[in-house]
Amino acid sequence: MSMATFSSPATADLCDYNVTSPTRLTVAGSGDFRDYGGVTCFHGPIATVKCFESNPMVRRILQEPGNGRVLVVDGGGSRRVAIMGDMLAKFAQDNGWTGVLINGCIRDSKYIGQLKVGVKALGTHPLKSAKTHEGERGVTVAFAGLEFVPGHWLYADEDGIVISENELKLDP
């Protein structure tokens, strides 16, 4: 599959233009998450997975067409294993996902940094995850003071993460 290219508006600009919008807008700072992908500014409709130290559902979803979506993975904040490595990040890139946000760790960070996909995670860990349970797909997940609802929009860059019920525009 061909690699998709996406451009994203800056989160600061989105906040400036949409702060009085009737669209619900929630913001988290970048302090909790580090950028690991070769793209640091990404956005798209949210798809979700809830799993804990086991990633079969993450793999399955990233092998599907992303169609410009962002996969949000609630790994329970675990820092004991990596939820995603180079192979899954490559699936994300090749299948048209704009980014992956992980409430947990990744591995193979050097390689992931060379891919044209956004990846934000809490940190890195060399141990791969277990494959003992599937996880839940398409459920609302909450972490970092945000609620991630499938179909809502996520915007991420070096300044932080913005969530909106609808697609945001830069026109007032």
Side-chain angles (χ1 to χ4, degrees):
M1 292 192 177
S2 65
M3 183 172 39
T5 58
F6 306 94
S7 63
S8 292
T11 57
D13 292 338
L14 288 169
C15 288
D16 290 351
Y17 286 112
N18 292 282
V19 71
T20 59
S21 168
T23 299
R24 195 179 102 199
L25 185 73
T26 54
V27 181
S30 64
D32 290 337
F33 298 94
R34 291 190 53 202
D35 286 303
Y36 292 101
V39 174
T40 57
C41 186
F42 58 94
H43 75 284
I46 295 170
T48 62
V49 173
K50 185 173 185 172
C51 58
F52 185 73
E53 298 184 356
S54 184
N55 72 355
M57 185 64 69
V58 175
R59 171 184 284 276
R60 185 171 298 114
I61 291 173
L62 291 176
Q63 288 177 312
E64 299 172 1
N67 300 318
R69 292 178 294 162
V70 175
L71 181 61
V72 175
V73 180
D74 184 359
S78 174
R79 294 181 182 260
R80 300 187 307 187
V81 300
I83 292 294
M84 186 175 78
D86 59 345
M87 290 173 45
L88 299 190
K90 180 87 164 83
F91 291 150
Q93 172 193 268
D94 293 347
N95 292 319
W97 293 87
T98 62
V100 182
L101 172 66
I102 300 174
N103 184 26
C105 292
I106 65 151
R107 66 189 211 157
D108 304 313
S109 61
K110 183 176 180 178
Y111 179 77
I112 290 172
Q114 298 170 14
L115 297 174
K116 298 289 186 201
V117 65
V119 176
K120 284 186 177 287
L122 296 177
T124 61
H125 198 288
L127 183 63
K128 67 181 175 180
S129 76
K131 313 292 183 239
T132 55
H133 60 278
E134 289 292 312
E136 297 176 80
R137 170 187 199 150
V139 296
T140 298
V141 297
F143 56 87
L146 297 175
E147 184 177 78
F148 302 90
V149 178
H152 285 191
W153 284 74
L154 180 146
Y155 299 83
D157 66 11
E158 300 87 350
D159 290 338
I161 300 166
V162 174
I163 304 294
S164 175
E165 291 178 2
N166 301 303
E167 183 176 10
L168 297 176
K169 305 291 182 190
L170 285 177
D171 320 279

